[in-house]
Amino acid sequence: MNHAHVRYLESKRSVDERSRSRRVGAELLDALPDAPTIGEAGSGAGAAVPWLVDAGLRAGSYHGVELSPTLVAHARRTRPAELRYRGHDAVDTDTGGAVGEFRFAFEAGDALDRLQARSHDLVVAQQFMDLVDMESAIDALTAATAPGGLVYCPLTFDGVTLFQPDHPADEAVRQAYHDAIDADPDRDARAGRHLIEAFRARPGSLLAVDGADAVVHPRDGRYPGDERYFLGCLLGFVEESVPSSSVPAVEDWLATRREQLAAGRLSYVGHRYDLLYRAHR
């Protein structure tokens, strides 16, 4: 399952924006200094930057590190233009852009390694902690924070994948799909709940936790934005992960789900958590 595709990441932005916890986000913004130094692990297409600017940041810096050079190039090219479209006075730079005194840059590389080169007031790991070894990632993220710095892990997947209407093979497909995730030693289909306990075991403070469920539901047979494509990608991930040898009914399940998607009748819920942690060092 390779999630590092531009259209996939862009198609899910509207879903992510709806599902992000307003309460955890507000606590995060209240805790930031006036000109924070921000780093992001796995910055993807750079969606965190418009969110931060829309939230009012006009000073400080953001440094996003993403393994895919294609995504880095996309973020550098499109995020300043998007901010201008949203009404912000954004300028382009070679590595990203700026709005007022807030500068943002994107870099290709290993985020857990590169971010530790400097101290940050905030380190963001959005939809990241279910893709990496959790304890090693927490070590690296906290090492990248200044004393008392924040670690923000929004939209962390947590073991619920639901499609509607019901299908007789739902439970077998869901279990096999999550088993395939867990078969990778660096992945965790229940990362959200495990991250709560992992942070609690650390010397810092878990400041806030909230549900951040992704919900996609058509209205009058239509999906918002590019969310039909997003659902199609999710079905593709299931197809890659669940062979008919383990779940004989998966072929009928996939065919039924794709018919429902084409007809504008397929709905989806993915359970996720937003977590905010303050490191004590």
Side-chain angles (χ1 to χ4, degrees), residues 49-132:
V49 168
W51 180 75
L52 291 165
V53 173
D54 283 346
L57 259 67
R58 294 295 183 274
S61 65
Y62 165 95
H63 176 212
V65 185
E66 164 60 46
L67 200 59
S68 166
T70 299
L71 291 178
V72 169
H74 174 78
R76 289 175 176 177
R77 182 177 67 254
T78 60
R79 293 295 77 93
E82 177 189 350
L83 288 168
R84 287 191 290 272
Y85 178 79
R86 290 183 179 222
H88 302 291
D89 187 15
V91 298
D92 296 77
T93 65
D94 289 342
T95 57
V99 176
E101 298 301 316
F102 178 64
R103 299 180 64 85
F104 54 92
F106 303 96
E107 175 189 6
D110 183 326
L112 296 180
D113 179 54
R114 299 284 179 88
L115 289 177
Q116 294 182 67
R118 61 189 300 190
S119 292
H120 302 83
D121 298 306
L122 167 66
V123 176
V124 180
Q126 176 168 303
Q127 292 185 318
F128 184 81
M129 299 303 286
D130 64 315
L131 304 175
V132 294

Side-chain angles (χ1 to χ4, degrees), residues 79-213:
R79 293 295 77 93
E82 177 189 350
L83 288 168
R84 287 191 290 272
Y85 178 79
R86 290 183 179 222
H88 302 291
D89 187 15
V91 298
D92 296 77
T93 65
D94 289 342
T95 57
V99 176
E101 298 301 316
F102 178 64
R103 299 180 64 85
F104 54 92
F106 303 96
E107 175 189 6
D110 183 326
L112 296 180
D113 179 54
R114 299 284 179 88
L115 289 177
Q116 294 182 67
R118 61 189 300 190
S119 292
H120 302 83
D121 298 306
L122 167 66
V123 176
V124 180
Q126 176 168 303
Q127 292 185 318
F128 184 81
M129 299 303 286
D130 64 315
L131 304 175
V132 294
D133 178 77
M134 185 174 292
E135 294 296 336
S136 297
I138 295 175
D139 287 343
L141 295 174
T142 54
T145 62
L150 301 166
V151 178
Y152 178 46
C153 300
L155 314 180
T156 302
F157 181 64
D158 189 68
V160 176
T161 304
L162 300 177
F163 291 93
Q164 283 289 306
D166 287 336
H167 186 283
D170 279 341
E171 182 56 28
V173 171
R174 183 201 62 80
Q175 186 62 57
Y177 178 54
H178 292 172
D179 287 348
I181 293 173
D182 287 332
D184 185 330
D186 290 334
R187 298 202 60 192
D188 184 355
R190 295 167 181 79
R193 71 193 71 179
H194 295 156
L195 188 56
I196 293 173
E197 298 308 315
F199 278 141
R200 283 177 174 163
R202 300 279 174 144
S205 302
L206 184 58
L207 301 180
V209 180
D210 199 6
D213 287 352

Side-chain angles (χ1 to χ4, degrees), residues 188-253:
D188 184 355
R190 295 167 181 79
R193 71 193 71 179
H194 295 156
L195 188 56
I196 293 173
E197 298 308 315
F199 278 141
R200 283 177 174 163
R202 300 279 174 144
S205 302
L206 184 58
L207 301 180
V209 180
D210 199 6
D213 287 352
V215 180
V216 179
H217 180 69
R219 292 188 178 183
D220 299 323
R222 297 181 179 180
Y223 294 92
D226 204 18
E227 293 178 20
R228 186 189 300 270
Y229 180 83
F230 167 63
L231 290 184
C233 289
L234 295 184
L235 296 178
F237 296 155
V238 173
E239 184 174 29
E240 292 172 13
S241 305
V242 182
S244 57
S245 57
S246 63
V247 181
V250 69
E251 293 182 5
D252 179 72
W253 186 92

